[in-house]
Amino acid sequence: MLGMLAFGPSVFVVIIAAVLLIVLRKKDQARLAVVFSVIAFVFGTLHIFCEFFPFEYTGPDGIDYIGQAIVWGLMVQSILYGTLAAYISFAVVATFSAVKALKESETRKKGIISMILSWICGIVIVCIIITNIVADKNYKKSIRIEVKEVSQVTDTESDPAVLIMFEIYNGTKRDIMYQTSVYTEVSQNGKEIYHTTVDGWKEYEDADIKYVKPGSSAVIRKTYKLKDTSAPVKILCRTYGGDYTYIDGEYKPK
């Protein structure tokens, strides 16, 4: 639901461009082609700038500030989606006007210039997207997760629980957190089991929201309430987008 909010400005921009295309369809198309291509170029340039110089969250660390980081991320996504939608929308509108301008010899030059101005940023954006896809794939492959221990314990309510010790290795070139980098799901007999608390292990408290430096490893402790003490637990660790899986297997608590 929150993610959909990032697309709000994009939808609004597309609607504006569509309305302008309809309302101004009988006006001077050569002039409109130039105007819309300039607008498209400005939004395209702004989008490229945001891609190269992202507004990264630099607020306080800790679990109390995760909400702020999420809101900040949504705002950044909204800017990126909005500028991209504005660029594409006005580039398309400019193209419609430019095509009409190309039909007349006296306005053909403006049509050609408008077409070039409209889509020159598009070439750069496509290159950025391809580069980002490759870089993102390599980035995710640079993070390694291992299950170091799966043991049966008793939680603070005296119920059986499982303690899972993960080790995360940061092979990227920037600081990462386990919580924001890895989605973890633990299940038994096809049904997800949920977190519980266990006494002790203070040294691992909040380890999943602490930064891991490049080239370093960290141990993450997670405990889950067991539904069946005789059944194995299935551990799934992947990216939040689900496009890369680190761990997917069953383990018998010892």
Side-chain angles (χ1 to χ4, degrees):
M1 182 62 182
L2 287 175
M4 294 299 295
L5 296 176
F7 291 97
S10 304
V11 176
F12 183 67
V13 168
V14 172
I15 292 174
I16 290 177
V19 171
L20 288 174
L21 178 63
I22 296 171
V23 172
L24 302 175
R25 66 185 183 278
K26 295 183 179 180
K27 300 294 182 179
D28 184 351
Q29 294 302 305
R31 182 180 178 183
L32 288 176
V34 174
V35 172
F36 287 138
S37 64
V38 170
I39 296 174
F41 181 80
V42 170
F43 276 113
T45 303
L46 182 59
H47 179 79
I48 292 170
F49 177 83
C50 293
E51 286 282 3
F52 278 110
F53 303 99
F55 306 101
E56 295 185 354
Y57 178 74
T58 57
D61 301 332
I63 194 168
D64 294 336
Y65 297 95
I66 289 177
Q68 293 182 17
I70 292 174
V71 173
W72 182 272
L74 288 174
M75 182 188 71
V76 172
Q77 280 187 326
S78 180
I79 293 173
L80 287 172
Y81 295 151
T83 52
L84 181 60
Y87 165 68
I88 294 175
S89 299
F90 282 102
V92 169
V93 173
T95 300
F96 273 103
S97 297
V99 169
K100 292 181 179 179
L102 288 171
K103 295 179 181 179
E104 304 293 336
S105 57
E106 61 271 18
T107 60
R108 188 167 298 156
K109 184 177 180 180
K110 287 185 178 180
I112 294 172
I113 293 173
S114 299
M115 291 283 281
I116 295 173
L117 196 61
S118 296
W119 295 108
I120 190 170
C121 287
I123 297 173
V124 178
I125 290 173
V126 169
C127 292
I128 291 174
I129 291 173
I130 294 174
T131 302
N132 285 344
I133 291 173
V134 174
D136 182 65
K137 188 174 182 179
N138 291 332
Y139 171 83
K140 290 169 181 175
K141 285 184 175 180
S142 298
I143 299 173
R144 296 200 299 268
I145 310 295
E146 291 185 34
V147 176
K148 307 299 289 187
E149 178 184 342
V150 180
S151 56
Q152 187 171 325
V153 295
T154 302
D155 66 11
T156 53
E157 297 178 348
S158 300
D159 293 327
V162 60
L163 167 67
I164 304 175
M165 301 286 286
F166 297 99
E167 183 177 75
I168 179 172
Y169 171 75
N170 181 11
T172 72
K173 296 182 180 180
R174 64 184 186 187
D175 295 351
I176 64 171
M177 284 193 297
Y178 183 94
Q179 188 178 67
T180 56
S181 301
V182 183
Y183 170 79
T184 305
E185 181 180 302
V186 180
S187 59
Q188 250 190 341
N189 300 320
K191 295 183 179 180
E192 188 175 357
I193 57 177
Y194 299 98
H195 287 280
T196 187
T197 55
V198 177
D199 291 329
W201 303 92
K202 284 293 184 181
E203 65 269 30
Y204 297 111
E205 189 174 6
D206 295 335
D208 58 344
I209 58 172
K210 293 179 180 177
Y211 284 110
V212 182
K213 297 291 183 182
S216 301
S217 300
V219 175
I220 310 297
R221 162 192 172 271
K222 290 183 176 291
T223 50
Y224 301 85
K225 192 180 290 287
L226 286 174
K227 293 183 177 180
D228 185 347
T229 56
S230 62
V233 294
K234 181 178 181 180
I235 301 174
L236 173 64
C237 294
R238 58 175 174 80
T239 58
Y240 280 90
D243 55 335
Y244 191 81
T245 300
Y246 299 107
I247 296 172
D248 186 3
E250 291 190 341
Y251 300 81
K252 185 71 171 66
K254 298 180 180 179

